[in-house]
Amino acid sequence: MIDTHQYGPWAVIAGGSEGVGAGFADELSRAGINLVLIARKPEPLEETAAQVRANGVEVRTLALDLLSADAFDRIRSDTDDVEVGLLIFNAGANSYGHEFVSGDLTGFQGVIDLNITSQLQLSHHFGARMKERGRGGIMLVGSLAGYMGSEHQSIYAASKAFGRIFAESLWLELAPFGIHALELVLGVTRTPAMVRAGLNFDLPGMNVAEPEDVAREGLAHLADGPVWVAGGNYEAAQKRSGFPRDTLVQGAAAGMRRLLGRG
Amino acid sequence: MIDTHQYGPWAVIAGGSEGVGAGFADELSRAGINLVLIARKPEPLEETAAQVRANGVEVRTLALDLLSADAFDRIRSDTDDVEVGLLIFNAGANSYGHEFVSGDLTGFQGVIDLNITSQLQLSHHFGARMKERGRGGIMLVGSLAGYMGSEHQSIYAASKAFGRIFAESLWLELAPFGIHALELVLGVTRTPAMVRAGLNFDLPGMNVAEPEDVAREGLAHLADGPVWVAGGNYEAAQKRSGFPRDTLVQGAAAGMRRLLGRG
């Protein structure tokens, strides 16, 4: 059961139109929590909004790119009049993957701006108001990719490591004020984004989670911070945190090269 | 012995005026590697430069703030005519520590600009040239703080987690081209910066390293990437990477509160 006193009456979901984000919206609306859904593309956003409105809650939609100059002002003007008890930051993506030294620094900066800067701004804004009220929750969606360096996604992986340790600090600092902070670590999940990225979900031994299951699991464990590894990947996260780093990092990279037929 | 063919004829040390940075300069100059030393304050910079020039190498000094708008142009104009075989990024610092939600986002951004953005820019620039030449080394100086969230240094700790995973990716991507990438993780070290920060080095049980020892150790292990934990802190790093995160992070925070008399 979702604690509507702790996390209501409104939740903001950045990246709330499809996949795990749509799963959060469905679960929260069934619990009676009103929603502000933020995503770039209007069509899937309106589709998800219509579906969750059918659960009887108020739903506001905000079609915007979090990296646009007026994004924060628009979010404020759409949320300043309501009490946001839950922020879910589910908008991170690897918008630019490339070998680092030959890559485009501007492309890498876009990954940082979304996964780090935008996440900090929203956590700061809504977190400060939750602290005043003495209740609320912040869920930052992370990735198993954040536990290890890897080829052609150096900045994405590093930004996800940033998010994990940032979530741990938020959890420590906000717990005395009655606020739950959690990083929800995702493994391979059957989301539209991962389908578009061309992931082969049928590879033998691959642990694939369904977005609705992951969303439900994350919301059920909001109070169990600072980090919740979803979809049965707890042991994988432990392994990826281990030592020695050289054999672990090289071993994972070799496995990835084989999967991609580049081994 | 420092491999001057691999890491010479010039090394750039960002944060090269005192503490561990001065230790790197001393060691490298004794091995016959010429130096470009970068630091904010001219006086300690010139002092260190004079000392290492006595070891018989060429030394250029560049007194600048890495966050200033012309920093990168000035570094290029001082290094474009020489072959830089080694980049040491030792400039990161926690320039702004505060509870996150009540802190100043601009202050936090300064920590990100130095520890992340500036480090990426220099690694990108010098790393691309090393890749062309098929030799070289990149050492990024990190911190045990990057393994765990903590109170009042959320962004510093998170940026150090970013640096660790970034170094692992660089190591993977650059090894096939003959370049060594390493994150050198420091624990408590008797540097002027840590003395200024008011650290009590005499606390019972605290493992304090000397800057010269740490510098020597890091240079000796440049080829042993992706991560080298200096000063006898390998087990501490393993412990801080462990699970479950709640008891570990809360336990470390409680210990820190006791040390600071806030327990």
Side-chain angles (χ1 to χ4, degrees), chain A residues 19-135:
Chain A
V20 182
F24 290 132
D26 186 54
E27 280 288 299
L28 290 167
S29 62
R30 287 174 195 274
I33 293 179
N34 305 305
L35 299 170
V36 180
L37 303 181
I38 304 172
R40 269 184 308 172
K41 287 176 271 176
E43 295 79 11
L45 185 59
E46 292 307 332
E47 203 176 304
T48 299
Q51 282 169 18
V52 296
R53 262 187 209 110
N55 294 327
V57 296
E58 279 189 71
V59 181
R60 298 177 181 181
T61 58
L62 202 45
L64 57 77
D65 183 339
L66 286 168
L67 302 187
S68 62
D70 64 344
F72 184 57
D73 287 340
R74 290 182 59 196
I75 292 169
R76 285 206 56 170
S77 75
D78 260 37
T79 57
D80 271 356
D81 64 323
V82 297
E83 274 191 18
V84 174
L86 180 62
L87 166 67
I88 298 182
F89 195 90
N90 178 48
N94 190 12
S95 52
Y96 179 67
H98 200 284
E99 183 202 51
F100 181 71
V101 300
S102 60
D104 171 17
L105 273 183
T106 312
F108 293 127
Q109 190 60 45
V111 180
I112 292 174
D113 290 344
L114 182 60
N115 288 283
I116 294 181
T117 316
S118 174
Q119 176 163 272
L120 292 187
Q121 190 173 39
L122 295 187
S123 300
H124 188 263
H125 174 72
F126 291 110
R129 279 148 190 77
M130 291 175 195
K131 184 182 165 191
E132 283 169 23
R133 289 197 291 270
R135 56 191 166 81

Side-chain angles (χ1 to χ4, degrees), chain B residues 184-260:
Chain B
L184 180 68
V185 176
L186 304 191
V188 177
T189 312
R190 204 183 307 273
T191 64
M194 291 205 197
V195 170
R196 283 193 299 269
L199 245 74
N200 179 359
F201 296 113
D202 302 324
L203 285 167
M206 187 179 275
N207 175 28
V208 182
E210 301 300 327
E212 306 75 33
D213 296 339
V214 167
R216 200 175 303 118
E217 185 183 353
L219 291 171
H221 291 283
L222 265 169
D224 302 325
V227 172
W228 188 267
V229 184
N233 291 300
Y234 187 76
E235 280 178 31
Q238 282 185 289
K239 193 175 164 192
R240 283 162 173 263
S241 302
F243 290 73
R245 298 304 292 169
D246 53 354
T247 51
L248 277 169
V249 171
Q250 191 62 70
M256 186 60 74
R257 272 180 237 128
R258 280 192 300 273
L259 283 185
L260 297 170

Side-chain angles (χ1 to χ4, degrees), chain A:
Chain A
M1 276 305 293
I2 292 165
D3 180 345
T4 54
H5 175 72
Q6 177 75 19
Y7 306 120
W10 285 81
V12 169
I13 308 178
S17 65
E18 59 176 35
V20 182
F24 290 132
D26 186 54
E27 280 288 299
L28 290 167
S29 62
R30 287 174 195 274
I33 293 179
N34 305 305
L35 299 170
V36 180
L37 303 181
I38 304 172
R40 269 184 308 172
K41 287 176 271 176
E43 295 79 11
L45 185 59
E46 292 307 332
E47 203 176 304
T48 299
Q51 282 169 18
V52 296
R53 262 187 209 110
N55 294 327
V57 296
E58 279 189 71
V59 181
R60 298 177 181 181
T61 58
L62 202 45
L64 57 77
D65 183 339
L66 286 168
L67 302 187
S68 62
D70 64 344
F72 184 57
D73 287 340
R74 290 182 59 196
I75 292 169
R76 285 206 56 170
S77 75
D78 260 37
T79 57
D80 271 356
D81 64 323
V82 297
E83 274 191 18
V84 174
L86 180 62
L87 166 67
I88 298 182
F89 195 90
N90 178 48
N94 190 12
S95 52
Y96 179 67
H98 200 284
E99 183 202 51
F100 181 71
V101 300
S102 60
D104 171 17
L105 273 183
T106 312
F108 293 127
Q109 190 60 45
V111 180
I112 292 174
D113 290 344
L114 182 60
N115 288 283
I116 294 181
T117 316
S118 174
Q119 176 163 272
L120 292 187
Q121 190 173 39
L122 295 187
S123 300
H124 188 263
H125 174 72
F126 291 110
R129 279 148 190 77
M130 291 175 195
K131 184 182 165 191
E132 283 169 23
R133 289 197 291 270
R135 56 191 166 81
I138 297 177
M139 170 143 58
L140 308 178
V141 176
S143 167
L144 272 188
Y147 283 95
M148 271 194 173
S150 50
E151 294 166 324
H152 290 226
Q153 56 173 352
S154 54
I155 304 305
Y156 178 69
S159 74
K160 289 299 184 183
F162 182 104
R164 199 174 64 251
I165 299 300
F166 170 64
E168 292 185 347
S169 297
L170 265 191
W171 174 78
L172 265 174
E173 291 182 348
L174 293 179
F177 303 101
I179 297 151
H180 304 158
L182 177 78
E183 192 206 35
L184 180 68
V185 176
L186 304 191
V188 177
T189 311
R190 204 184 307 273
T191 64
M194 292 205 197
V195 170
R196 284 193 299 268
L199 246 73
N200 179 359
F201 296 113
D202 301 325
L203 285 166
M206 188 179 275
N207 175 27
V208 182
E210 302 300 325
E212 305 76 32
D213 295 339
V214 167
R216 200 174 303 118
E217 185 183 352
L219 291 171
H221 291 283
L222 265 170
D224 301 325
V227 172
W228 188 267
V229 184
N233 290 300
Y234 187 76
E235 280 178 31
Q238 282 185 289
K239 193 175 165 191
R240 283 160 173 264
S241 301
F243 289 73
R245 298 305 292 168
D246 54 353
T247 51
L248 276 170
V249 171
Q250 190 64 70
M256 186 59 73
R257 273 181 236 127
R258 280 193 301 273
L259 282 184
L260 297 171
R262 296 194 271 122

Side-chain angles (χ1 to χ4, degrees), chain B residues 18-242:
Chain B
E18 61 176 34
V20 182
F24 291 133
D26 186 56
E27 280 289 297
L28 290 167
S29 61
R30 287 175 195 273
I33 293 179
N34 305 305
L35 299 171
V36 180
L37 303 182
I38 304 172
R40 269 184 308 172
K41 287 176 268 174
E43 296 78 12
L45 185 60
E46 292 306 332
E47 202 176 305
T48 300
Q51 282 169 16
V52 297
R53 262 187 209 111
N55 293 328
V57 297
E58 281 188 70
V59 181
R60 299 178 182 181
T61 57
L62 202 45
L64 58 76
D65 183 339
L66 286 168
L67 301 188
S68 63
D70 64 345
F72 184 57
D73 288 341
R74 289 182 60 195
I75 292 170
R76 284 205 55 169
S77 74
D78 259 36
T79 57
D80 272 357
D81 64 324
V82 297
E83 274 190 17
V84 175
L86 180 63
L87 166 68
I88 298 182
F89 195 90
N90 178 48
N94 191 11
S95 52
Y96 179 68
H98 200 284
E99 183 202 50
F100 181 71
V101 301
S102 59
D104 171 17
L105 272 184
T106 311
F108 293 127
Q109 189 60 45
V111 180
I112 292 175
D113 290 344
L114 182 60
N115 289 282
I116 294 182
T117 316
S118 175
Q119 175 163 274
L120 292 187
Q121 190 173 40
L122 295 187
S123 301
H124 188 264
H125 174 71
F126 290 111
R129 279 147 190 79
M130 291 176 197
K131 184 183 165 190
E132 283 169 23
R133 289 197 292 270
R135 57 191 166 78
I138 297 176
M139 170 142 59
L140 308 178
V141 176
S143 167
L144 272 189
Y147 284 94
M148 272 194 172
S150 49
E151 293 167 322
H152 290 227
Q153 57 172 349
S154 55
I155 303 306
Y156 178 70
S159 74
K160 289 299 183 182
F162 182 105
R164 198 172 67 251
I165 299 299
F166 171 64
E168 292 186 345
S169 297
L170 264 191
W171 174 79
L172 265 175
E173 291 182 347
L174 293 179
F177 302 102
I179 297 152
H180 304 158
L182 178 76
E183 194 207 32
L184 180 68
V185 176
L186 304 191
V188 177
T189 312
R190 204 183 307 273
T191 64
M194 291 205 197
V195 170
R196 283 193 299 269
L199 245 74
N200 179 359
F201 296 113
D202 302 324
L203 285 167
M206 187 179 275
N207 175 28
V208 182
E210 301 300 327
E212 306 75 33
D213 296 339
V214 167
R216 200 175 303 118
E217 185 183 353
L219 291 171
H221 291 283
L222 265 169
D224 302 325
V227 172
W228 188 267
V229 184
N233 291 300
Y234 187 76
E235 280 178 31
Q238 282 185 289
K239 193 175 164 192
R240 283 162 173 263
S241 302

